Amino acid sequence: MKLIINGGKALNGEIKLQGSKNAATKMMVASLLTDEECIFENFPQIGDVEITAEFFRSIGSEININGSIAVLKTSEIKNFKVESLGRVNRIPILTLGPLLARFGKAQVPFLGGDKIGNRPVDIHLTALKALGAQIETQENSFLVSIPNGLKGAKINFRYPSVGATENAIFAAVLAKGRTTIKNAAVEPEIIDLIEMLQNMGAIIGLGTDRTIYIDGVKKLGGVRRKVMPDRNEAASFACLAAANKGNKIKIKEAIHNHLITFLNEFRRVGGEYRVENDGIIFWRSNGLSAIELETDTHPGFMTDWQQPFAILLTQADGISIIHETVYDNRFSYVKDLNFMGANIKVFSKCLGELPCRFNGEGQYHSAVISGLTPLSGKNIKVPDLRAGMAHLTAALIAQGESVIEGVEEIDRGYERIDERLKNLGADINRII
Ligand code: EPU
């Protein structure tokens, strides 16, 4: 599937955020913890949710999706083995907790997802082992059992991994006794998940210094909940608003509190915004100027925001620097941007101040962007989801025609992106 974009059009108007991909898929996993019905509103219609629904059905879930309402019910876990079904995302490993709690054993395929660097699962496995899991590594999967049941434990993460935090929470809510997770991730999607689990009957809370504590309960019940708006979409559209010369874009349902760090960098680079009751308006009046920024775990500048922000920085006057400290290989999109006229060089040295796990490891995780560079339309192929959105943003502000191939990657995380951008005035067509 391809998108043909005739770039350089003035974009303005309103765009409503979809439900968050990274919240919705985890809410689906939470629904496996109960045999009762869970109803989700504002459910995003995206590829990652379809992949997740497909394998959930194979383990026994009944799933009905009608527009933006999804109803999930897993009366019984019928199959402890999660098949990869040809397409795998990051979610199967998160089902270990629910499957173990309800079935006593589980088998999940190795992870799929984006090609954004080395993505080990050691922190997930350490947490599960602490909670009583025995893990056997097979050719393409993990086979996990709990000979003595799931038992609460004290866990101290070497790094605040989002997925490992979620995994430990899922395994601990129905475990016997208290679990404490230190150095846990506290992203808004995780806080939202904690709220949802509380509504299902869990005892779970936040302590100081990234500590999450959980007192296991015997049973969880159903829930009705709205999926939170996608803060990654918000950042993508805000960057588009400022990169495309001065037209206002109102992002409906954008939540100020989820974007605090983003908004500061946005203002530093020369973007302007106004927070309203039902969303945030983004624009720019003057030229943009170069800045340096570093990605980090929440509440830092999110790694998923750096790709759209890099497009903005190609339109800023001077030398900007991005130090990526979350993933070791998240600049794969740079080659295509340079092909379109950008001037970006990547370095393996840490060009920043934050402590970084990639220091001295040789991965290209810092970028120097020299601006301002006009971009011109080209034929490009999407390497991964967020990079794909960066390509799309670049094509929208570039002069001339771009052809973007591999749109399925963008569709994994962005709902009907072409239609929604058309409403802002984009000249964009999908070729199936
Ligand atoms: N890590 C380890 N060991 C582990 C787990 C993680 O070394 O056991 C490392 C990773 O290699 C990476 C870092 O920790 O360098 C961060 O990984 P994390 O586990 O926090 O990320 P994740 O749970 O795999 C989620 C989102 C990502 C988002 C990150 C960071 C989902 C499905 N994915 O990934 O979103 O970038 O948190 O916020 O929730 C996306 O939506 O495009 C996306 C990649």
Side-chain angles (χ1 to χ4, degrees), residues 21-23 25-26 48 89-91 94 111 114 116-126 158-166 185 187 189 230-232 296-298 302-304 307 324-328 330 357-358 384-387 412-414:
K21 162 178 98 71
N22 292 345
T25 44
K26 318 305 170 56
D48 244 26
N89 59 9
R90 311 280 307 156
I91 305 304
L94 302 182
L111 296 187
D114 296 314
I116 55 179
N118 185 18
R119 294 182 82 173
V121 290
D122 59 302
I123 310 176
H124 295 246
L125 301 184
T126 308
R158 70 169 171 82
Y159 181 80
S161 150
V162 170
T165 302
E166 291 159 343
E187 267 62 7
E189 292 78 12
D230 197 307
R231 64 194 173 112
N232 292 336
D296 200 0
T297 52
H298 189 75
M302 212 195 167
T303 171
D304 297 309
Q307 305 82 348
E324 166 64 59
T325 75
V326 178
Y327 288 110
D328 58 8
R330 229 176 176 185
R357 293 164 299 139
F358 314 131
D384 71 70
L385 167 62
R386 302 293 166 205
R412 271 185 47 215
Y414 295 84

Side-chain angles (χ1 to χ4, degrees), residues 27-38 56 59-63 72-81 94-107 128 144-146 149-150 170-176 197 200 217-222:
M27 291 164 80
M28 291 173 80
V29 178
S31 80
L32 292 177
L33 289 161
T34 175
D35 56 9
E36 293 179 18
E37 191 170 85
C38 294
F56 270 39
I59 56 178
S61 307
E62 278 171 52
I63 304 180
L72 281 79
K73 188 168 195 285
T74 312
S75 313
E76 194 193 344
I77 304 278
K78 295 194 177 123
N79 180 8
F80 73 96
K81 191 172 172 186
L94 302 182
T95 63
L96 282 172
L99 291 180
L100 290 171
R102 291 184 63 190
F103 201 93
K105 63 177 173 175
Q107 187 165 3
L128 290 165
V144 187
S145 58
I146 37 167
L150 285 165
F170 289 133
V173 277
L174 291 174
K176 221 173 180 183
L197 290 166
M200 292 171 74
V217 294
K218 288 213 164 65
K219 197 170 169 14
L220 294 174

